[in-house]
Amino acid sequence: MTGGELEPPHRLRPIRALPGGEAVEIIDQRRLPHELRLARLDGVEAVVTAIRDMWVRGAPLIGATAAFGVALQARADAGDAAMAAATDRLQASRPTAVNLAWALQRMARVWAALAPADRAAATWAEAEAIAREDLAVNAAIGRNGLPILQALAARRAAVGGGALQVLTHCNAGWLATVGWGTATAPIYQAHAAGVPLHVWVDETRPRNQGASLTAWELGQAGVPHTVVADNAGGHLMQHRQVDLVIVGCDRVTARGDVCNKIGTYLKALAARDNGVPFYVAMPTSTLDLSLADGLAEIPIEERSAREVTHVSGRDASGSVLEVQLTPDGSAAANPAFDVTPARLVTGLITERGLVPAQEAALRRLMEPMPR
Ligand code: MRU
């Protein structure tokens, strides 16, 4: 598979292997949109911290970063016990996105088959392959999603409705992957193809990945967009101001239940009530065929209450500071993901094509490709 002729929307990558295999460089996403700061991760502990504390985030990027964590461990101590312990530490860093387990299993298949002396070079090469493939997968998701956006844009244009109106939640953009993004890949490709479009960006409380990251990305790429409070989506749909919703995913079960950032389910409900198509961009590395019932079986990360009680932003002097929103003493809860049942999903846009959120289709999708 190739990345296609189009270049990804930004020259920077959220993760980059540094020459010599000693470290990786990441974008520290906690600082965006106010500061673009790079950080160097030179060992597995640094990688665990970066994933757990969300310097990097987004399912595919978590997987790729963890893969480099394994490779950095192999450079430090490639013995069986050290490799297994590092894998366990990485696996525990965030529970919901299955790309983490997917990448660690892929890495384990490589190192477990080799003598310790051969593990450093082989795991580094495998981590680089995971990163390279992610870029190509997302480019393919973009190509496969493009006709959907073109058709809906033509439908809107036919009634003189102006630009295609897309709504997205959280950040499933290039910052959440190695490049392109998943949900944003069709948007970037449609924009490049001259499809007039506008994106409604859910702010995505409590961490505001939409307001801080998706809005920043789209702005960098010159894609027209408007940030809205999470609660605005239903209203916009009722007033025919949304032609489609497109989101990413952290884990999709065999029967097509979609786990994604908290609040996604409410968008899917509103979309169904208003006849708005609800698409999920899904690299096949996010499909977990070992699970069926997403609600019952997907582990939902519970994050710190502080993400709810406090918010950070830039003040008039340009300093970034954190302030408290809630009264002293009020409890807060912070489930970070929710599950949208398959019945609310119009289709899954994958690197292998558009598939319905149905078990038979998803199992068929994962059958080996004919040579
Ligand atoms: O908590 P986050 O920021 O890692 O959550 C990210 C999301 O929910 C994304 O939509 C998902 O990981 C897909 S990223 C291509």
Side-chain angles (χ1 to χ4, degrees):
M1 196 189 319
T2 72
E5 313 80 50
L6 278 176
E7 283 299 311
H10 204 285
R11 67 183 167 77
L12 268 183
R13 299 282 165 269
I15 191 163
R16 185 170 75 90
L18 294 179
E22 283 172 26
V24 289
E25 189 177 71
I26 57 150
I27 297 176
D28 181 351
Q29 301 192 24
R30 297 169 307 165
R31 309 265 171 185
L32 288 171
H34 305 300
E35 187 190 354
L36 179 56
R37 188 186 288 189
L38 304 178
R40 184 183 156 97
L41 309 179
D42 56 8
V44 72
E45 282 315 312
V47 170
V48 167
T49 301
I51 296 173
R52 185 194 58 222
D53 296 345
M54 294 178 68
W55 306 25
V56 292
R57 25 67 53 206
L61 182 59
I62 290 170
T65 309
F68 280 107
V70 172
L72 289 168
Q73 176 59 48
R75 194 180 169 93
D77 177 352
D80 284 357
M83 293 299 284
T87 300
D88 289 348
R89 297 265 300 121
L90 289 161
Q91 181 57 60
S93 58
R94 286 197 77 189
T96 299
V98 76
N99 302 61
L100 179 58
W102 172 86
L104 292 174
Q105 282 160 17
R106 184 164 156 178
M107 296 301 287
R109 278 197 293 276
V110 171
W111 65 258
L114 295 172
D118 299 324
R119 288 175 179 171
T123 51
W124 191 262
E126 188 70 1
E128 286 188 310
I130 286 175
R132 211 172 35 245
E133 288 168 26
D134 183 67
L135 207 55
V137 159
N138 299 332
I141 288 174
R143 287 195 296 275
N144 293 334
L146 177 60
I148 297 170
L149 271 62
Q150 285 171 321
L152 290 168
R155 196 178 76 179
R156 184 171 269 274
V159 294
L164 177 73
Q165 302 293 318
V166 185
L167 184 140
T168 192
H169 190 71
C170 194
N171 174 259
W174 66 261
L175 285 165
T177 64
V178 179
W180 280 113
T182 59
T184 54
I187 294 172
Y188 288 128
Q189 294 203 13
H191 180 63
V195 175
L197 59 84
H198 165 265
V199 184
W200 297 107
V201 178
D202 283 353
E203 62 178 351
T204 318
R205 280 282 292 151
R207 286 187 67 99
N208 295 314
Q209 290 95 325
S212 322
L213 304 178
T214 305
W216 181 80
E217 271 196 20
L218 294 174
Q220 295 276 308
V223 177
H225 63 281
T226 305
V227 178
V228 286
D230 291 321
N231 297 331
H235 166 81
L236 294 172
M237 292 184 217
Q238 285 173 322
H239 289 272
R240 298 283 151 236
Q241 291 183 69
V242 180
D243 295 308
L244 80 157
V245 179
I246 181 165
V247 298
C249 50
D250 289 83
R251 198 185 290 235
V252 176
T253 68
R255 71 183 193 197
D257 294 341
V258 171
C259 182
N260 191 48
K261 181 52 54 188
I262 192 78
T264 303
Y265 169 54
L266 290 177
K267 294 301 135 73
L269 283 175
R272 174 55 55 93
D273 194 45
N274 290 284
V276 173
F278 182 90
Y279 286 101
V280 176
M282 183 195 75
T284 54
S285 54
T286 310
L287 180 59
D288 185 350
L289 290 178
S290 74
L291 303 185
D293 181 342
L295 262 184
E297 297 177 79
I298 297 177
I300 300 293
E301 179 179 15
E302 187 73 35
R303 291 190 64 84
S304 164
R306 195 175 177 86
E307 294 181 350
V308 176
T309 57
H310 290 66
V311 69
S312 78
R314 191 174 59 194
D315 72 8
S317 74
S319 308
V320 174
L321 48 89
E322 185 186 66
V323 294
Q324 183 176 330
L325 284 173
T326 52
D328 290 339
S330 287
N334 189 8
F337 297 93
D338 62 24
V339 174
T340 298
R343 67 186 156 78
L344 298 177
V345 176
T346 306
L348 299 159
I349 306 168
T350 82
E351 73 271 23
R352 299 183 182 188
L354 177 66
V355 284
Q358 291 165 6
E359 180 152 6
L362 287 169
R363 291 204 182 276
R364 213 173 312 119
L365 183 74
M366 297 314 288
E367 284 168 4
M369 298 258 219
R371 286 185 171 271

